[in-house]
Structure formats: C-alpha cells, structure tokens
Amino acid sequence: MQEGIQLPTIVVVGDQSSGKSSVLESLAGISLPRGQGICTRVPLVMRLQNDPNITAPNLHLEYNMKSLPVDEVGIADAIILATDEIAGHGKGISNNPLTLVVKKNGVPDLTMVDLPGITRVAVQGQPEDIYEQIYDIITKYIVPEESIILNVLSATVDFPTCESIRMSQKVDKTGERTLAVVTKADKAPEGLLEKVTADEVNIGLGYVCVRNRIGNESYDEARSDEARLFSTHPLLSKIDKSMVGIPVLAQKLVRIQAGIISKCLPEIVRKINDKLAANLAELNRLPQHLTSVAEALTAFMRILSSSKDSLKKILLSGEFDEYPEEKDMHSAARLVEMLDQYSNELHSKNFENTEEFLMEEIMVLQETKGIGLPNFLPRAVFLNVLQKKVKEIAASPEDFVGKLWNYLERVVIKVLMYHCDNYPQLQSSTRRAAQNLIAKKKNESIDWVREIIGMEKLTDYTCNPDYLATYSKFMAQQHTFMEIMNDPGKFSMINLEGVGGINVGHLRKHLDVVQQAFDLKMRMMAYWKIVLMRMVDSMALHIMFSVRNMINKEMENEIVQDLMAPHGGGIERMLDESPLVAEKRNRLNKSVKLLKESKEVVANIMDRISFQSDHEMA
C-alpha cells in the first residue's frame, strides 16, 4: 500500500455511537477508547493475527514512523495519546492512520480499518466542517473495489435513515461488498427480525446481529450472555443462528476476506510487477554515478552530442518526434509562421494611399527641380523617395530578429536542460553559455539587419528581370492616365493596376510634373517589390545560416568555455552527484526492495491457496 497498490481491506463505518469500536473490541478481545462523541479521530488499522503458540498477547502501535509495544491494560490510553499526537489535542480529526497490531491466541486473522463515526453537527471544539472531513476520509477508504464495507448499524434506529448506509450505497450500489453488523440488539428486539430479513437497504453480504460487551463484563462473559440472549429471548431467538453473534461475525469476515484476497491476488501481482518494472526502468534511466574525470568527460560529451542531434532535428530538419504534443517546439513550422507574419507586416506598412495618389512624388519633384533639361528624371529624386520608404520599414526587421532569437533561446535552453536533467550541476553553466551565445547571435543579426537597411538606402539596383517587366506593365497605363488628366471634361476616376481605383481631380493643378510623378511612382512600385522580396528572402537565408553555425560550431565551444572558466567549476563538478538524484536513487532502491519482498509474500499466499484448493478437491 506504501507503493500505491490497493489491498483488500475491511473498512468499518457507522454513524456516531453506533457501536463500531465495541464490535472491534469484541473481535480482538481488547479494550478500545470509549466515551461520548467521536472516540475514533484517526483511521485505526487493526491487524489481528492468530498465534496459538503465545501465551500472552503481543500488541504494538505503529504511527509516525515508529513502533511502540503496549500491554492490554494500557492499550486504550496508548491509543488516545497516539491519536493526540497525530490529530492534536481536542476533537479534531486527521487522515493519518494509526495501526494496532494484535498477535493473540484465538483471534481471527483479520485486518480492519476503523474510521471516525459520522456526525452531521459539529459540537464545541470540533471544526465547523467536521462532517465534510469525515465524509472525505470514509470515501477514500470505501471507494476502491477491493474494499469490503462493514457497516455498523444500531438496532435502535431505522436503517434507511443512517448516514453510513447512504455513503456505502453511493459507492456500492448493488451492495455486493457491504456487510451489516447490527449492534444493541438487546435494546431494540422488536421488529429486528423483519428489519434484517426484509433488507430495505440492499446489504449484499447479509446481516449479523450482535450484543456488545456491557460495563466491566469480561469478553468470555459477554460471549456467554450474547449466546444466551439469542437462544432464549422470545423475539431474538427467532433470528437464524447464521446471523447472530460475534463468533459468526468473525467467521464471516475471515471467509469474506479470504475470498476477496483470492479474487484480487492476480490483479495485485500484476500491479506489483508493473510497478516493479517501472521503478527498475526509472532506476536504469538515472545517470551513472560518476567516479572519475574520464567518466565525467564521456558523459559530458554524450550530453553535447545528444543536444546537438536534437537541435538539428528540431531547428534544421523540421522533425519534432521528441516533442509531439508541444507545438512551440515544432520549430520549423513556427519559424515559417514568424517569417510570414514579418512579410505581411512589411507589406502592410506600404499600402498605397489612393486619396493622395502621386502627391508625395510631386512634392519631391518640385523640391528637387533645378536648371536642366525639361522632363528629365534625376536619379537623386528616386533615391530620395526610396530612402523615405526604407526608413518607414527599418524598425520591422530589427524587431523581427529580436523576437526570433528570443524564441530560439527558449527552444535551445529547453533542449539543453532536458539533456542535462540528470546532471543539475551542469545546468547553470549550460544555461548561462546558451544565453551568452544567443545574445551574441542576436547582436550579430541586428548588425546584419542594419547593414541591409543601410545598403537599401544607399543605392537602387537589381538584375531581376521582373523589375523591367513590371515597370513596363505599369507604364502601359500612362497614356490613358494622361488622357484623363488633360481633358477636364472627362470623368476623373480611373482604375490602375497595382494601385486600385483613384480620383485624379486633385492632380490637374500639377500638370507640369504629373507625367514625371507617374513615371517615378511606377518605377518605385516595380522596384519596391524587389526590395521587400530581398528583405524577406535574405532574412530567411540569414536565419538558417546563423542557426546552422550556432548548432554545428559555436554552441559546443561556448558551453565548454563556460564550464572550464573559473566560475564554471570544471568537468570535475559532474563527480558530485546532486542530492536530488541521490535521494531519487535511494527511494527507488527502497521501493524495488519492498516490491520484491511483497511479490515473494504474495506468491507464497497464492501457493497456499492453490495447495488448499487441490487438497479440498482431493
């Protein structure tokens, strides 16, 4: 159960003062705490073990990682003290269990869990949510299918009104794993036979009616009085003998527990094997405890190699099998999305203003005119317009490379930390090296972007044949455009390819330069397509070139240099196993040892069951 494997358990539930503890007392033959209100404030696990070879009972209390021997006389006081230590003084409850081991001649071999009695109203000293706390504790124990619910009911109440019945019915609707014990039969004998035979509350494992010990009676006296009561009482004697008495209850519980254990053992064995295999696999995945610099160097080189392979797959090859569910790590797709967004942003910043069509070009032409041939377009005019447009988009590429390297930093560090996971002593040095390298790469990219922007501002050039083709196509519209411009009587609207619908009325007062302005605009529109294409294409090439160099050449050098620097601590740091790994190794070793022992014990039980079955058949 320490390993999270649920075992068959008899769980004792009942309303407050229903007589739960008294039933357990009778089964164990020992005195438990009694009194008004909640006596059981923590789950009390009672392990009864019959040992015919001992003359005096052997009792132990186990809680808070300790085991204390106790005697029969002081057992109730010892339980109260232990409960106070677990749940605190007062009337509060706790979910931390207290185990009582009873080795005694004549007790049934049973393990039962006694839970706090159900109360709906908090009394003075109890927390306001006492019912909810008790409900949660009981639910935890009775939900597992392996649990047998021993529902203790007082004969003095109507069974359908009992809160314990409501709780058990919620988790065991058919009643197939619920057994009812009816206490205080001597105080309410009228109608008890009808109540236990009519079974209005669906108790699948049946009823057992008992009379608990009263006052200072010895357990032998109590059993004699109980037998006499159910034999001679005019009403109670009519109840079938298979449904009355503590001895019958003990036999029934032993039989039920043996049956559920036989039924559950194969599944328990499977769970033990699964947990054992998982723990062994996890133990094998832990890093080898390094004992020499040579071993440390080998492990370090393996980390670098595996990190490089992962980054190549993620950033260069577009593979993401190592992170199938983490879309942020599907880096090839994310980089394309970022480039597309960057491209859209560049294009959106230069959307043509149709209302002010050609006014920028006209202004530039007017301000740069000089003595010279008429209708001649100086190159300085084109460069003036070009520089202004490049300046408008200059911030976008720089912002983009900043976002890009921030994303790449997250990916690279995540991969490196994953491969360094077993060596925490490497993580700070590796993280620092990655951050320093990516900061350098980001600065390199920003410098490159500024150079590109500077080049675009400096001059205009392309050998791309699309420029002339696009320019010629745009200029083919000039004749129609000028016809409208020169005839004031014509409609002022015109639809131009690459621009859209425009009203040219505002241009008629600039007829002296409008033809030149149109030529300048068409040249710029044709050339600007080339500029934007260069800004996006060269960025894509730069990214892949930079990332490839980082992975193949620079990353390994940066990590090694940081590790070997005075603050890095050198490769010898790997020889000091981290407390986390050491603790994990220790925990797994203990778990494996415990599971192997459990497997052996369960195997012996199954052999005994198999032997008994064969013996009975023979």
Side-chain angles (χ1 to χ4, degrees):
M1 291 180 74
Q2 286 178 22
E3 294 299 315
I5 298 171
Q6 185 66 40
L7 293 177
T9 307
I10 296 171
V11 182
V12 186
V13 298
D15 292 5
Q16 187 176 310
S17 302
S18 60
K20 290 187 302 86
S21 296
S22 297
V23 170
L24 293 175
E25 279 186 341
S26 299
L27 289 167
I30 57 170
S31 299
L32 297 174
R34 291 189 183 195
Q36 294 298 313
I38 298 179
C39 301
T40 306
R41 298 195 293 125
V42 299
L44 175 63
V45 181
M46 287 189 64
R47 294 215 304 264
L48 308 182
Q49 299 173 8
N50 181 35
D51 190 342
N53 298 319
I54 59 174
T55 53
N58 185 345
L59 309 179
H60 275 81
L61 274 180
E62 297 174 358
Y63 62 100
N64 291 351
M65 305 297 290
K66 55 187 176 184
S67 178
L68 302 177
V70 290
D71 56 38
E72 279 191 280
V73 176
I75 184 60
D77 292 336
I79 290 175
I80 291 170
L81 289 173
T83 299
D84 289 342
E85 186 176 327
I86 296 170
H89 297 275
K91 298 180 181 179
I93 65 171
S94 170
N95 197 18
N96 294 326
L98 166 65
T99 299
L100 172 62
V101 181
V102 179
K103 293 182 180 179
K104 191 177 180 183
N105 184 11
V107 296
D109 284 307
L110 288 172
T111 297
M112 296 172 290
V113 181
D114 185 22
L115 299 177
I118 304 165
T119 179
R120 275 204 166 273
V121 182
V123 299
Q124 188 175 6
Q126 288 178 341
E128 289 294 322
D129 64 341
I130 187 70
Y131 171 76
E132 288 76 13
Q133 288 189 34
I134 293 172
Y135 180 90
D136 289 344
I137 292 174
I138 291 175
T139 301
K140 175 189 171 184
Y141 279 90
I142 65 176
V143 161
E145 291 293 326
E146 297 87 354
S147 295
I148 294 297
I149 304 169
L150 184 62
N151 210 320
V152 181
L153 311 169
S154 171
T156 59
V157 300
D158 290 331
F159 296 168
T161 66
C162 292
E163 188 69 17
S164 63
I165 287 291
R166 191 181 70 82
M167 283 190 186
S168 62
Q169 284 179 334
K170 187 173 285 189
V171 299
D172 181 29
K173 292 181 172 55
T174 62
E176 64 181 0
R177 53 189 183 89
T178 301
L179 172 68
V181 179
V182 183
T183 62
K184 306 177 184 178
D186 51 333
K187 294 185 178 179
E190 292 82 7
L192 184 56
L193 174 61
E194 289 74 16
K195 287 165 79 172
V196 297
T197 51
D199 188 21
E200 294 179 343
V201 290
N202 202 22
I203 304 294
L205 295 176
Y207 293 80
V208 178
C209 303
V210 299
R211 172 197 176 276
N212 288 323
R213 187 168 65 103
I214 300 173
N216 294 321
E217 283 181 335
S218 70
Y219 290 102
D220 289 337
E221 290 171 345
R223 294 290 67 75
S224 296
D225 288 345
E226 180 186 60
R228 190 180 311 112
L229 174 71
F230 287 111
S231 297
T232 61
H233 191 281
L235 295 175
L236 298 179
S237 61
K238 294 179 180 178
I239 301 174
D240 192 279
K241 295 298 177 282
S242 65
M243 297 173 64
V244 297
I246 290 293
V248 167
L249 174 62
Q251 291 170 8
K252 205 161 194 174
L253 286 173
V254 169
R255 189 166 63 251
I256 290 170
Q257 182 173 262
I260 193 74
I261 287 175
S262 298
K263 179 182 173 185
C264 294
L265 274 180
E267 181 65 12
I268 291 170
V269 170
R270 186 190 65 77
K271 287 179 179 178
I272 290 174
N273 287 335
D274 288 349
K275 189 71 185 287
L276 185 57
N279 284 356
L280 286 170
E282 193 174 357
L283 199 54
N284 290 332
R285 282 195 299 270
L286 286 181
Q288 170 195 358
H289 183 45
L290 306 173
T291 57
S292 68
V293 174
E295 286 181 353
L297 186 59
T298 302
F300 178 62
M301 296 307 294
R302 189 165 55 246
I303 289 170
L304 287 181
S305 176
S306 56
S307 299
K308 186 186 290 189
D309 288 343
S310 291
L311 288 172
K312 281 181 180 177
K313 288 169 67 176
I314 293 169
L315 293 173
L316 301 179
S317 303
E319 301 173 40
F320 48 82
D321 54 286
E322 294 177 13
Y323 302 92
E325 303 302 323
E326 298 181 54
K327 289 193 173 181
D328 204 44
M329 297 298 286
H330 303 176
S331 297
R334 302 294 80 78
L335 290 177
V336 171
E337 287 174 358
M338 292 171 78
L339 274 168
D340 288 343
Q341 187 178 356
Y342 162 67
S343 176
N344 293 336
E345 186 179 336
L346 286 181
H347 284 81
S348 68
K349 285 192 175 184
N350 291 280
F351 191 78
E352 295 294 341
N353 186 351
T354 55
E355 293 180 4
E356 297 291 321
F357 181 63
L358 293 188
M359 289 309 297
E360 181 183 1
E361 287 77 13
I362 289 171
M363 185 194 72
V364 171
L365 286 165
Q366 287 175 338
E367 294 304 312
T368 56
K369 64 187 175 183
I371 299 171
L373 294 173
N375 201 28
F376 184 79
L377 185 62
R379 186 158 174 266
V381 175
F382 186 84
L383 284 176
N384 186 289
V385 176
L386 175 64
Q387 287 166 0
K388 186 177 178 183
K389 289 177 77 67
V390 171
K391 190 176 180 181
E392 287 176 358
I393 66 161
S396 290
E398 200 167 319
D399 290 343
F400 173 72
V401 293
K403 291 175 185 174
L404 172 82
W405 283 107
N406 289 342
Y407 167 72
L408 291 172
E409 181 178 0
R410 293 197 301 272
V411 172
V412 169
I413 288 178
K414 182 163 187 172
V415 170
L416 289 172
M417 291 304 99
Y418 171 77
H419 289 286
C420 288
D421 188 47
N422 288 327
Y423 299 97
Q425 59 272 52
L426 284 182
Q427 288 184 347
S428 60
S429 180
T430 305
R431 183 187 294 273
R432 184 170 53 245
Q435 289 170 337
N436 291 340
L437 175 59
I438 287 175
K440 289 179 192 173
K441 300 297 290 183
K442 185 191 291 187
N443 289 334
E444 287 175 8
S445 290
I446 290 172
D447 290 342
W448 173 82
V449 162
R450 288 173 181 170
E451 280 189 1
I452 294 294
I453 296 295
M455 292 175 194
E456 296 292 354
K457 283 181 180 178
L458 182 64
T459 189
D460 52 321
Y461 178 78
T462 182
C463 63
N464 190 332
D466 283 350
Y467 166 69
L468 281 176
T470 306
Y471 168 68
S472 299
K473 183 171 64 174
F474 287 162
M475 283 300 290
Q477 305 172 97
Q478 188 181 44
H479 179 72
T480 307
F481 175 76
M482 290 308 298
E483 277 187 347
I484 293 173
M485 289 295 306
N486 291 320
D487 188 350
K490 284 195 173 184
F491 189 60
S492 298
M493 289 298 296
I494 185 172
N495 192 59
L496 294 175
E497 186 176 349
V499 180
I502 56 169
N503 189 323
V504 299
H506 65 287
L507 299 173
R508 288 201 169 106
K509 56 185 176 182
H510 303 290
L511 285 173
D512 56 329
V513 292
V514 74
Q515 189 166 349
Q516 275 187 303
F518 188 89
D519 189 353
L520 177 58
K521 169 65 81 174
M522 297 305 113
R523 289 177 188 274
M524 182 54 66
M525 284 171 54
Y527 183 65
W528 193 244
K529 282 190 171 186
I530 307 296
V531 173
L532 293 182
M533 187 181 296
R534 277 201 297 251
M535 297 291 285
V536 176
D537 287 356
S538 59
M539 182 67 78
L541 298 174
H542 171 76
I543 290 168
M544 297 311 293
F545 182 72
S546 299
V547 170
R548 187 176 296 275
N549 281 344
M550 176 187 70
I551 295 171
N552 289 337
K553 300 177 183 177
E554 299 159 341
M555 186 182 73
E556 189 172 310
N557 292 339
E558 194 77 28
I559 293 173
V560 170
Q561 286 175 15
D562 195 286
L563 185 66
M564 301 311 291
H567 61 257
I571 203 78
E572 292 83 2
R573 289 183 62 189
M574 294 182 68
L575 300 178
D576 302 325
E577 187 169 49
S578 76
L580 191 66
V581 174
E583 168 60 27
K584 191 174 184 180
R585 193 191 305 279
N586 186 46
R587 176 178 58 78
L588 287 170
N589 278 324
K590 283 184 178 177
S591 178
V592 166
K593 181 174 180 291
L594 187 62
L595 287 165
K596 284 181 176 177
E597 291 173 355
S598 301
K599 188 176 176 181
E600 195 172 315
V601 169
V602 172
N604 289 336
I605 294 171
M606 291 185 76
D607 287 345
R608 280 164 49 196
I609 291 172
S610 177
F611 174 78
Q612 288 173 0
S613 298
D614 293 344
H615 185 70
E616 287 170 4
M617 287 177 65

